Amino acid sequence: MGQSDRPTLADVAAAAGVSVSTASLAFSGAGPVAASTRDRVLAAAAELGYTGPNPIARSLRRGRSGVIAVVLGAELASAFSDPIHTGTLDGVARELGERGLGLLLVRSDHFGDVPTLVREGVMDAAIIAGLSDLADPVLDALRARGVPFVRVDAGPQDVAGVGIDDAAGIVGLVEHLRGLGHSRIAVLSLPLRHRDATGLVDPRSLGPIAFTPTANRWAGVRESGLVPVAAAEASSSVVEEGRAAARLLLERDDRPTAILAFSDLLAGGAVLAARELGLRVPQDVSVAGFDGLELPWLAPDRLTTAVQGLVEKGRLTARAAAALADGESSPLVRLPVVLRVGTTTGPAPA
Amino acid sequence: MGQSDRPTLADVAAAAGVSVSTASLAFSGAGPVAASTRDRVLAAAAELGYTGPNPIARSLRRGRSGVIAVVLGAELASAFSDPIHTGTLDGVARELGERGLGLLLVRSDHFGDVPTLVREGVMDAAIIAGLSDLADPVLDALRARGVPFVRVDAGPQDVAGVGIDDAAGIVGLVEHLRGLGHSRIAVLSLPLRHRDATGLVDPRSLGPIAFTPTANRWAGVRESGLVPVAAAEASSSVVEEGRAAARLLLERDDRPTAILAFSDLLAGGAVLAARELGLRVPQDVSVAGFDGLELPWLAPDRLTTAVQGLVEKGRLTARAAAALADGESSPLVRLPVVLRVGTTTGPAPA
DNA sequence: GAGTCGAGTCGAATCGATTCGAGCGCGTAG
DNA sequence: CTACGCGCTCGAATCGATTCGACTCGACTC
């Protein structure tokens, strides 16, 4: 492709003894072409090694590239290692692939400036994952370019996007724990702000929350009427931080009987922390997570969690982006989550 | 972008009262343009909301798109959940991002046919990950289009690609185990063929091996002179299969004193299996892995493993692909792996 | 004062397709 | 026999830039 010696449609047309327009028609199938002519064109193409119209030229003419960008905000510095992100990305990739749309992957380090690709990359629409701030410069750049976008884990303030019903999921988990007789419940929160560290926080005065999922889940806590006996914030959604934060909660004098973690990785870490402290799960302490991951290494335990359909979320997001690329509008969708009771929650100890 | 009402360079030129060529020069900076003229052009652009040249048109003219495709073979049905793949992908994304190159992500399900994007997607070069077969139809399609490609985990038979020194890594692990006095060593292998199931295999007659990393690591076993007392094959590189396969090895009458697993996820599963069987690691059985992942959930243990630089591998692959896109050639690179001794290997029991 | 040089600007060709309107035969209806 | 319609093909415009060669004009040299 390019200034190389690859044959063009003009070459094929010349070889077949027809005009370029006819050759084009023969390939695209749009328009009346005699069968004999088409065969001649295809034969000439095969002979010359012409593998089809140059996609760039086609895009230019059509005014569409067929490419959807996925911008991964690296707020967590680990977009690729977080199973939540990769699960969603998988769904996006499947859906776009099936539609014959390209997926331009863009990392946004959030260190320097807006990635060049956001400014200059070829795209008909964009999917924003992991950037919570509505005023993010990446979004400004896209708006300036006139590129429509949808956001994954969209907040209520978004116009278009796909999110999950975080609040309802949390409420379901709280009710589950309450039904088991728990009254001293601690919250193990996802990060509240950029660059915060793992540590205890006051659940009654959290301050502004920079990340949409975190905010949504705390909203669920409030909605459920739960007043946590304590709360800890993990600096990122990884097992290690979950364990560290859970230790802080479990070593307090007024040890909670249940930990409600905002992600399954954090919950997994909490289970490990409990085990290390000689606490039995769930007899001494119950642990609930969020997301619905399978953590095989937790066996024989299985997390109680609120399951979100990651791949489905990705597919819906991709569909929304495709609609935007087509000039259609796309609503704010909120997917349900369902409670899955595992072995890590049980009756509150007497 | 597209047939919308976005301004074009011609509009800007008209508004600034200059020719299109001058306007182009003013933007690209290639060529002499009076400062006053440039300012006028930029002002006109700002006023019209022109955000820079249309990348598609630019690509057409230049004959290059600045896009590298990454084709993820889904042989493991889990390209996105395998940390080896995502780690490499992360490296690729970083390197390409820094070079201002786009990354077109293509999933190859391997079910139906060659993905449309491989046939028609915009790309200057491609990176193939997770497709081991040199005769894969995806590769044929790329060759037909004249798109150069490199392969991740390239085998010795590849012309260009980036791989790691699997064999040396295995040899190092075997020597480490031998140095600890182990003589009854079992191998926990990555899948040998498509659709194989988890189960015991005869280490002396493995048959043809379809996957390059698996083949390379068995080559290391042979090179080390090790004759495994037993071997098991996991159907994929996940904790669950590692555990299942390890059970088969550990429940044999002639229980091995050490298990050499071909991946860390398998090794992690093996540790879990040992613990479940009441065996102490490493007092009763040693376990070694491969890849150098951090498995926080294995704490307080840390795997003995052969560490490969995943991100570095990705970066190098991206660099090779960029070179190919520039028309340069790219050699076959083999990255070293280094032994990391953890807590899961120890002296052989008496 | 004529000639040279160079900075600055412009026109036109080009990249590789798509697509619209026009043209050309040929068969059939009037 | 003329006119019309239809099926097929073609020429040319277009998408939005880049880039080369030519041209203009003022400054400088001899």
Side-chain angles (χ1 to χ4, degrees):
Chain A
M1 184 159 54
Q3 57 250 44
S4 67
D5 46 2
R6 306 238 82 219
T8 72
L9 193 54
D11 299 327
V12 174
V18 298
S19 72
V20 189
S21 21
T22 303
S24 174
L25 261 16
F27 268 99
S28 66
V33 175
S36 64
T37 312
R38 187 180 46 244
D39 292 347
R40 206 140 37 86
V41 172
L42 295 181
E47 186 149 357
L48 293 177
Y50 180 78
T51 48
N54 179 323
I56 300 181
R58 190 211 288 267
S59 295
L60 176 60
R61 185 67 239 265
R62 286 218 216 280
R64 295 267 238 82
S65 62
V67 170
I68 308 288
V70 175
V71 182
L72 288 184
E75 276 169 348
L76 314 182
S78 58
F80 288 99
S81 55
D82 186 339
I84 304 305
H85 277 115
T86 54
T88 309
L89 185 57
D90 193 17
V92 170
R94 285 172 199 256
E95 183 73 24
L96 292 181
E98 288 167 14
R99 293 168 172 254
L101 293 172
L103 160 26
L104 181 74
L105 191 60
V106 182
R107 269 182 112 254
S108 174
D109 319 78
H110 231 287
F111 291 134
D113 228 343
V114 176
T116 315
L117 284 171
V118 169
R119 287 195 201 289
E120 310 182 350
V122 173
M123 61 188 79
D124 294 337
I127 292 171
I128 312 294
L131 289 176
S132 298
D133 196 344
L134 265 182
D136 194 283
V138 166
L139 304 191
D140 290 335
L142 292 175
R143 277 188 274 257
R145 285 185 63 181
V147 174
F149 56 85
V150 286
R151 298 179 2 120
V152 184
D153 290 329
Q157 73 277 43
D158 277 283
V159 178
V162 176
I164 60 169
D165 201 340
D166 294 281
I170 293 287
V171 170
L173 289 166
V174 170
E175 282 171 359
H176 167 69
L177 291 173
R178 278 187 175 142
L180 291 168
H182 291 276
S183 55
R184 290 214 314 285
I185 303 177
V187 167
L188 205 176
S189 172
L190 285 168
L192 297 163
R193 278 170 290 275
H194 297 268
R195 327 203 118 271
D196 270 13
T198 297
L200 291 174
V201 295
D202 180 353
R204 277 155 313 184
S205 64
L206 296 167
I209 299 177
F211 303 116
T212 315
T214 313
N216 291 348
R217 289 172 200 186
W218 274 110
V221 171
R222 274 193 303 280
E223 200 174 301
S224 73
L226 172 67
V227 179
V229 292
E233 170 190 10
S235 63
S236 69
S237 183
V238 298
V239 175
E240 195 46 44
E241 298 302 323
R243 176 161 49 182
R247 279 196 98 103
L248 298 177
L249 294 171
L250 293 172
E251 285 172 337
R252 290 167 58 99
D253 294 335
D254 58 338
R255 197 177 70 216
T257 63
I259 292 181
L260 171 58
F262 279 4
S263 85
D264 283 346
L265 292 182
L266 294 179
V271 171
L272 296 181
R275 286 182 185 164
E276 282 164 21
L277 292 171
L279 297 170
R280 294 164 303 161
V281 175
Q283 291 85 349
D284 299 321
V285 60
S286 286
V287 176
F290 201 112
D291 288 335
L293 298 185
E294 296 292 343
L295 303 180
W297 44 268
L298 217 49
D301 275 317
R302 188 154 185 248
L303 273 183
T304 292
T305 183
V307 185
Q308 60 164 312
L310 285 178
V311 172
E312 187 57 21
K313 184 166 75 171
R315 294 196 98 112
L316 273 179
T317 310
R319 233 169 284 165
L324 288 179
D326 283 339
E328 301 162 20
S329 68
S330 165
L332 181 59
V333 179
R334 196 151 295 283
L335 292 172
V337 299
V338 301
L339 179 68
R340 184 182 76 201
V341 177
T343 64
T344 59
T345 52
Chain B
M1 184 159 51
Q3 58 250 44
S4 66
D5 45 4
R6 305 239 85 220
T8 72
L9 192 55
D11 299 327
V12 174
V18 298
S19 72
V20 191
S21 17
T22 303
S24 173
L25 260 12
F27 269 100
S28 66
V33 175
S36 64
T37 311
R38 187 180 46 246
D39 292 347
R40 207 141 36 86
V41 171
L42 295 182
E47 185 151 359
L48 293 177
Y50 179 78
T51 49
N54 179 324
I56 300 180
R58 188 211 289 267
S59 296
L60 176 59
R61 186 67 238 265
R62 285 219 216 281
R64 295 266 238 83
S65 63
V67 170
I68 308 288
V70 174
V71 183
L72 288 184
E75 276 170 348
L76 314 181
S78 59
F80 288 98
S81 54
D82 187 339
I84 305 304
H85 277 116
T86 55
T88 309
L89 184 58
D90 193 18
V92 170
R94 284 173 199 257
E95 183 72 24
L96 292 181
E98 287 166 16
R99 293 168 171 254
L101 293 172
L103 157 26
L104 182 73
L105 190 61
V106 181
R107 270 182 111 255
S108 173
D109 316 79
H110 228 288
F111 289 133
D113 227 341
V114 177
T116 316
L117 284 172
V118 169
R119 287 195 202 290
E120 311 183 350
V122 173
M123 61 187 79
D124 294 335
I127 292 171
I128 312 294
L131 289 175
S132 300
D133 196 345
L134 266 184
D136 193 283
V138 165
L139 303 190
D140 290 335
L142 291 176
R143 278 187 273 257
R145 285 186 63 181
V147 174
F149 55 85
V150 286
R151 297 177 6 119
V152 183
D153 291 328
Q157 73 279 43
D158 276 283
V159 179
V162 176
I164 60 170
D165 201 342
D166 294 281
I170 292 287
V171 170
L173 289 167
V174 170
E175 282 171 358
H176 167 69
L177 290 173
R178 279 187 175 140
L180 290 168
H182 291 275
S183 56
R184 289 214 314 284
I185 302 176
V187 167
L188 204 175
S189 171
L190 284 167
L192 298 163
R193 278 170 289 275
H194 295 266
R195 329 206 117 266
D196 269 14
T198 296
L200 293 173
V201 295
D202 180 353
R204 277 154 313 186
S205 64
L206 295 167
I209 300 178
F211 303 114
T212 314
T214 312
N216 290 349
R217 291 172 198 186
W218 274 110
V221 171
R222 272 193 305 279
E223 200 174 301
S224 73
L226 171 68
V227 180
V229 292
E233 170 189 10
S235 64
S236 68
S237 182
V238 296
V239 174
E240 194 47 45
E241 298 303 323
R243 175 160 51 183
R247 279 196 97 104
L248 298 176
L249 294 171
L250 292 172
E251 284 172 339
R252 290 166 56 100
D253 294 335
D254 59 340
R255 197 178 69 217
T257 64
I259 292 182
L260 171 57
F262 279 4
S263 85
D264 284 346
L265 291 182
L266 294 179
V271 171
L272 295 181
R275 286 181 185 167
E276 282 164 22
L277 293 171
L279 298 169
R280 291 164 306 162
V281 176
Q283 291 84 349
D284 298 322
V285 59
S286 286
V287 176
F290 201 112
D291 287 336
L293 298 185
E294 295 293 343
L295 303 181
W297 44 265
L298 216 50
D301 276 317
R302 190 154 184 247
L303 273 183
T304 292
T305 182
V307 184
Q308 60 164 311
L310 285 177
V311 172
E312 188 56 22
K313 184 166 76 171
R315 293 196 100 110
L316 274 179
T317 310
R319 231 169 287 166
L324 289 180
D326 282 339
E328 302 161 19
S329 69
S330 165
L332 180 59
V333 179
R334 197 150 297 280
L335 291 173
V337 299
V338 301
L339 180 68
R340 183 182 78 201
V341 177
T343 64
T344 58
T345 51

